[in-house]
Amino acid sequence: MLRHVLGKTFRFLGYTVQYGCIAHCAFEYLGGIVVCSGPSMEPTIQNSDIVFSENLSRHFYCIRKGDIVIVKSPNDPKSNICKRVIGLEGDKVCTSNPSDFLKSHSYVPKGHVWLEGDNLRNSTDSRCYGPVPYGLIRGRICLKIWPLNDFGFLRASPNGHRFLDD
């Protein structure tokens, strides 16, 4: 009897570990569901929108300008932020706020990206904390799931003029 109970217990633990490893790999390398909060990505992503974030792009260095990414916050490593990639390493970016009369520019250093929220007037982003290391990128948002009336691929940046080609 004891042998039978121990056998079932160890089989259950074995399956739990196996499925736990599979789930970890799926969420780490394939992607997952993310609930977004805050106003920084409005109007593209509203507070409480649910999106799908795929993680393969970051592993294969396929992040491009215009992509919306989930990133470990440079200010608080326990939280994630959602921002749009405005510049990649070597790109010239506008580092000033839209309301500033004099515009300042800088180049994104090697191994970094420049991130900004779509709601430029209400976003804490690279204009505050500078370029973000590529290694902090967790995934790329590719699909809005909720609300259902807005289901689909995400639209282009309302701040396309911020992308510099110099």
Side-chain angles (χ1 to χ4, degrees):
M1 170 86 170
L2 181 61
R3 182 182 286 177
H4 178 69
V5 170
L6 284 175
K8 280 191 165 201
T9 302
F10 283 123
R11 272 196 302 280
F12 175 75
L13 287 174
Y15 287 131
T16 302
V17 170
Q18 285 177 336
Y19 292 127
C21 290
I22 291 170
H24 168 75
C25 289
F27 290 125
E28 178 66 23
Y29 295 103
L30 297 180
I33 307 296
V34 177
V35 178
C36 297
S37 63
S40 72
M41 286 302 293
E42 291 176 357
T44 309
I45 298 174
Q46 305 290 328
N47 192 35
S48 300
D49 280 358
I50 300 173
V51 297
F52 178 75
S53 170
E54 61 86 13
N55 298 349
L56 291 173
S57 292
R58 76 178 171 112
H59 291 295
F60 293 116
Y61 296 94
C62 297
I63 301 294
R64 298 184 314 248
K65 280 198 265 186
D67 286 346
I68 299 174
V69 293
I70 302 293
V71 180
K72 282 281 181 204
S73 172
N75 293 337
D76 178 16
K78 293 179 183 174
S79 66
N80 292 321
I81 57 173
C82 175
K83 304 291 178 194
R84 190 177 298 271
V85 177
I86 300 299
L88 301 170
E89 63 180 47
D91 287 344
K92 183 179 180 183
V93 292
C94 179
T95 58
S96 54
N97 288 311
S99 58
D100 292 349
F101 181 71
L102 294 174
K103 303 297 180 197
S104 58
H105 297 88
S106 181
Y107 288 93
V108 180
K110 184 175 176 135
H112 290 70
V113 293
W114 188 267
L115 304 174
E116 292 181 3
D118 285 354
N119 185 354
L120 293 174
R121 300 203 190 294
N122 194 4
S123 177
T124 302
D125 49 36
S126 287
R127 293 171 295 152
C128 299
Y129 45 70
V132 176
Y134 192 92
L136 292 183
I137 296 176
R138 307 301 307 146
R140 180 180 66 90
I141 295 178
C142 56
L143 188 69
K144 188 185 287 191
I145 298 171
W146 188 263
L148 285 178
N149 64 339
D150 211 9
F151 179 87
F153 296 105
L154 297 172
R155 66 186 100 148
S157 172
N159 306 310
H161 63 281
R162 303 274 298 170
F163 296 89
L164 299 176
D165 292 327
D166 297 354

